[in-house]
Amino acid sequence: MEMHIRSLTKPDGRQLRLYSRHPIEHVENAPSPFPDPLHANPHMRWHPLRGEWITYAAYRQGRTFLPPPEYNPLAVTRTPDNPTELPPGDWDVAVFDNRFPSLSLEAHHPPETIVPTMPSTGKCEVVVFTQDPQSALGKLPLAHIELLLQVWAERTLQLGRHPDIQYVLPFENRGAEVGVTLHHPHGQIYAYPVVPPVPGRMMQIAAEHYSQHGRGPLEMLIEQELACDKRLIYRGEHAVAFVPVCARYPYEVWVAPIKAVPSFVELDEEQRADLARALKTVLMKYEALWNRPFPYLMAWYQAPTDEQWHPEAHLHAEFYPPYRTPDKLKYLAGTELAAGLFAMDVLPEDKALELQNVTVQLEEPAHA
Amino acid sequence: MEMHIRSLTKPDGRQLRLYSRHPIEHVENAPSPFPDPLHANPHMRWHPLRGEWITYAAYRQGRTFLPPPEYNPLAVTRTPDNPTELPPGDWDVAVFDNRFPSLSLEAHHPPETIVPTMPSTGKCEVVVFTQDPQSALGKLPLAHIELLLQVWAERTLQLGRHPDIQYVLPFENRGAEVGVTLHHPHGQIYAYPVVPPVPGRMMQIAAEHYSQHGRGPLEMLIEQELACDKRLIYRGEHAVAFVPVCARYPYEVWVAPIKAVPSFVELDEEQRADLARALKTVLMKYEALWNRPFPYLMAWYQAPTDEQWHPEAHLHAEFYPPYRTPDKLKYLAGTELAAGLFAMDVLPEDKALELQNVTVQLEEPAHA
């Protein structure tokens, strides 16, 4: 489906991109709460015991901007002397550069330390899902969610083209329980100069699986989850949502196209439409489960943007909700954080049943 | 130094071990809040995308035991009709089997699922640091902390001898912020049937480093941290504590013998005494930093108990405190949990300076 993009530059030099199904005509300029450029210069240090990079952006603590509690930087600007991050106008989804990025294409000259260092090259973008501060990803119309899937594709393609960017991760942290104080519906995109540790291991395992079985492990698992039919949350023609047999969080759910698609970029229209239905179904069930906003971390794994062909990659979202019951959080403690071996006190089958028993109705039938 | 052990069996079949510098003479029997055996049967499932095991102990949610808020199961039993987990008597440190273990030597016949499964063989032990519910690990006398280091050695040796146990991880979750509601000073030991993902990768990296350089990466890093002298928190003859150059948490500190010692078992008396001083110094500084109890996860990494010789292993503790300022928690979100790439908004050098500026006095000089 058609997508229109309007690119603007904020007074402090950051990029703003607006997206809509229709030509964007009523936008004048890109506001910013910050008048001057920041010249972000984050760096990475090598962790010699874990064999991974850590990124440091010390200026982030120096945020002098202390807005009043009712100020919402993701709302559209109402008066020019109180600028937010976004202009009024006929746009549906917006993406702009994070003012305090952990990764920056401007990064240069890392400090010398006793371990290897390098510039934290990359990008941190904020994705505003809608102009409505009271909405939520799961409350948006299916067509709007489809537009967001196209925006993620466009960002993956554009960011991935940069020779220094190896991996693009769209995610949403939702709810005060996961540290989010800004309730305007939004997510983030991190574009990394390396394939990060978790997707790196997943890609390695997927590649071995692919060379052995001719397809990736997720496509095979989805086939088995569909046949087993115990933990499914949504079953469409092209997309599926389920509590995985190996869930690490009590209400963990994965959303994926049924056939392996390496990234958002390669989704066809039908797959994208069904993926939007799967995603919205999960979000509506989460919200209806306890009749209150349901916090989660949602992360979208896809193929690295290293210009290799990745038939082993399989685009999918993983949801990690922090609650194990309506009033009990699952804390990551010794065995999870130190050993990396997750301990669950509930069975995925039982949590899937809870979500299956929540009835929700999409605004159009799954197979129209 | 001498250590006396008294082994007892609780009415529900669980083991209790009491430790002291002196013969334990005034203990009659092992109490339990639970009259009957539980027959724990946890199982593991294979995560085909991450290539790791997840452990499931569904009975853990069925804890019918709801004690009144003032009931402390880790206090010693005062009256036989209100039994706790521990008997009165002349003991200093106690270790007993967790009533609701994620790992059990009784585990058998895992369910069949669409992924490989296996029994969650292993042990989960509770380590009570002292009889005093108002104390804390950092408040105990050095001799008492040394005893605890010996207890961890004894448990590593005993648990590691079991042919099914490949890795022994002592840790402490401290504070409501990391999910602990029981404030009696205590830690835990998880004894795993596999080397878990994080220590597994660390051992692989250490082995490669050892074969290339003739020693492990931590011994080399400690030499560099000592020479650089920017982030040291304690410097003794045999042990050191420092904020690592590659810290992933704002007040992360590592405590280690200076020369590589594979596990608690191989520590000599002098190393153990200095390690106790290093550990206590860190804990006292944490406590004095904001003049209030300082929450953390403390994990002790050591060599696997797989009967191989591990010269590349280097016993050490890593502390992960959840706070980044006195009133702000560091939430693990998208980049940490989904990508595994940690983002820090403070520099390790600055946090080390804060801890260096806290003056504490051990009850005996470090070099007596």
Side-chain angles (χ1 to χ4, degrees), chain B residues 181-229:
Chain B
T181 46
L182 200 55
H183 297 300
H184 192 117
H186 73 287
Q188 299 182 63
I189 295 173
Y190 270 39
Y192 298 95
V194 294
V195 181
V198 172
R201 283 193 297 278
M202 284 168 66
M203 288 309 297
Q204 191 189 341
I205 288 164
E208 283 163 21
H209 192 281
Y210 187 88
S211 75
Q212 217 178 333
H213 302 279
R215 53 192 182 140
L218 180 54
E219 193 177 88
M220 192 176 282
L221 184 73
I222 287 173
E223 188 178 283
Q224 291 166 319
E225 290 282 8
L226 285 168
C228 165
D229 197 12

Side-chain angles (χ1 to χ4, degrees), chain B residues 11 63 125 157 188 190 193 208 234 251 288 292 302 350 359:
Chain B
R63 304 185 195 187
E125 296 185 334
L157 192 65
Q188 299 182 63
Y190 270 39
E208 283 163 21
Y234 174 88
Y251 292 96
R292 68 182 197 202
Q302 49 183 343
D350 296 335
T359 311

Side-chain angles (χ1 to χ4, degrees), chain B residues 152-338:
Chain B
W152 281 333
E154 191 264 352
R155 296 317 300 144
T156 301
L157 192 65
Q158 293 298 330
L159 291 165
R161 269 187 191 146
H162 194 288
D164 287 337
I165 289 177
Q166 300 291 303
Y167 199 85
V168 179
L169 181 83
F171 64 92
E172 179 190 5
N173 301 322
R174 185 184 186 217
E177 296 85 347
V178 294
V180 177
T181 46
L182 200 55
H183 297 300
H184 192 117
H186 73 287
Q188 299 182 63
I189 295 173
Y190 270 39
Y192 298 95
V194 294
V195 181
V198 172
R201 283 193 297 278
M202 284 168 66
M203 288 309 297
Q204 191 189 341
I205 288 164
E208 283 163 21
H209 192 281
Y210 187 88
S211 75
Q212 217 178 333
H213 302 279
R215 53 192 182 140
L218 180 54
E219 193 177 88
M220 192 176 282
L221 184 73
I222 287 173
E223 188 178 283
Q224 291 166 319
E225 290 282 8
L226 285 168
C228 165
D229 197 12
K230 270 190 194 168
R231 289 169 295 269
L232 298 178
I233 304 302
Y234 174 88
R235 175 180 214 147
E237 201 176 340
H238 303 285
V240 67
F242 56 99
V243 176
V245 61
C246 54
R248 298 179 302 139
Y249 295 84
Y251 292 96
E252 181 168 345
V253 168
W254 295 0
V255 179
I258 291 173
K259 291 292 166 197
V261 173
S263 83
F264 283 114
V265 178
E266 293 86 2
L267 281 175
D268 69 27
E269 292 244 340
E270 288 195 353
Q271 288 172 321
R272 191 186 307 122
D274 206 20
L275 199 58
R277 286 193 286 271
L279 180 58
K280 181 161 177 165
T281 300
V282 171
L283 292 166
M284 289 176 78
K285 281 175 176 267
Y286 275 163
E287 215 75 354
L289 183 65
W290 297 325
N291 284 308
R292 68 182 197 202
F294 192 87
Y296 56 75
L297 163 61
M298 170 187 73
W300 284 91
Y301 292 107
Q302 49 183 343
T305 55
D306 55 4
E307 313 214 347
Q308 307 292 311
W309 160 236
H310 287 287
E312 78 280 19
H314 193 147
L315 171 72
H316 72 287
E318 298 191 9
F319 281 90
Y320 308 149
Y323 280 104
R324 49 196 183 96
T325 67
D327 54 2
K328 277 192 187 148
L329 292 166
K330 176 188 173 77
Y331 288 91
L332 301 186
T335 192
E336 287 89 4
L337 290 181

Side-chain angles (χ1 to χ4, degrees), chain A residues 43-61 63 102-103 112-115 169 171 173 176-180 190 192 194-199 201-203 205-206 209 217-218 221 224-225 228 230-231 244-249 252 254 297 299 301 316 318 320 331-351, chain B residues 43-61 63 102-103 112-115 169 171 173 176-180 190 192 194-199 201-203 205-206 209 217-218 221 224-225 228 230-231 244-249 252 254 297 299 301 316 318 320 331-351:
Chain A
H43 71 276
M44 288 196 184
R45 303 184 184 187
W46 183 248
H47 192 304
L49 272 59
R50 298 174 63 98
E52 61 194 34
W53 294 101
I54 320 295
T55 180
Y56 297 88
Y59 60 84
R60 289 187 74 201
Q61 59 183 328
R63 302 185 197 187
S102 296
L103 308 154
E112 275 191 36
T113 73
I114 58 175
V115 290
L169 181 82
F171 63 92
N173 301 322
E177 297 85 347
V178 295
V180 177
Y190 270 38
Y192 299 96
V194 294
V195 181
V198 172
R201 283 194 298 279
M202 284 168 65
M203 289 308 299
I205 288 164
H209 192 280
L218 180 54
L221 184 72
Q224 291 167 320
E225 290 282 8
C228 166
K230 270 190 195 169
R231 289 169 295 269
V245 60
C246 53
R248 298 178 303 139
Y249 296 83
E252 181 169 346
W254 295 0
L297 163 61
Y301 292 107
H316 72 286
E318 298 191 7
Y320 308 149
Y331 287 91
L332 301 186
T335 191
E336 286 90 5
L337 291 181
L341 198 146
F342 275 61
M344 286 272 281
D345 59 7
V346 293
L347 292 181
E349 295 69 43
D350 296 336
K351 290 295 160 181
Chain B
H43 71 276
M44 288 196 185
R45 302 183 185 188
W46 183 248
H47 192 304
L49 272 59
R50 297 175 63 97
E52 62 194 35
W53 294 101
I54 320 296
T55 181
Y56 298 87
Y59 59 86
R60 290 186 75 201
Q61 60 183 325
R63 304 185 195 187
S102 295
L103 308 154
E112 276 191 36
T113 73
I114 58 175
V115 290
L169 181 83
F171 64 92
N173 301 322
E177 296 85 347
V178 294
V180 177
Y190 270 39
Y192 298 95
V194 294
V195 181
V198 172
R201 283 193 297 278
M202 284 168 66
M203 288 309 297
I205 288 164
H209 192 281
L218 180 54
L221 184 73
Q224 291 166 319
E225 290 282 8
C228 165
K230 270 190 194 168
R231 289 169 295 269
V245 61
C246 54
R248 298 179 302 139
Y249 295 84
E252 181 168 345
W254 295 0
L297 163 61
Y301 292 107
H316 72 287
E318 298 191 9
Y320 308 149
Y331 288 91
L332 301 186
T335 192
E336 287 89 4
L337 290 181
L341 198 147
F342 275 61
M344 286 272 283
D345 58 7
V346 293
L347 292 181
E349 294 71 40
D350 296 335
K351 290 295 160 181

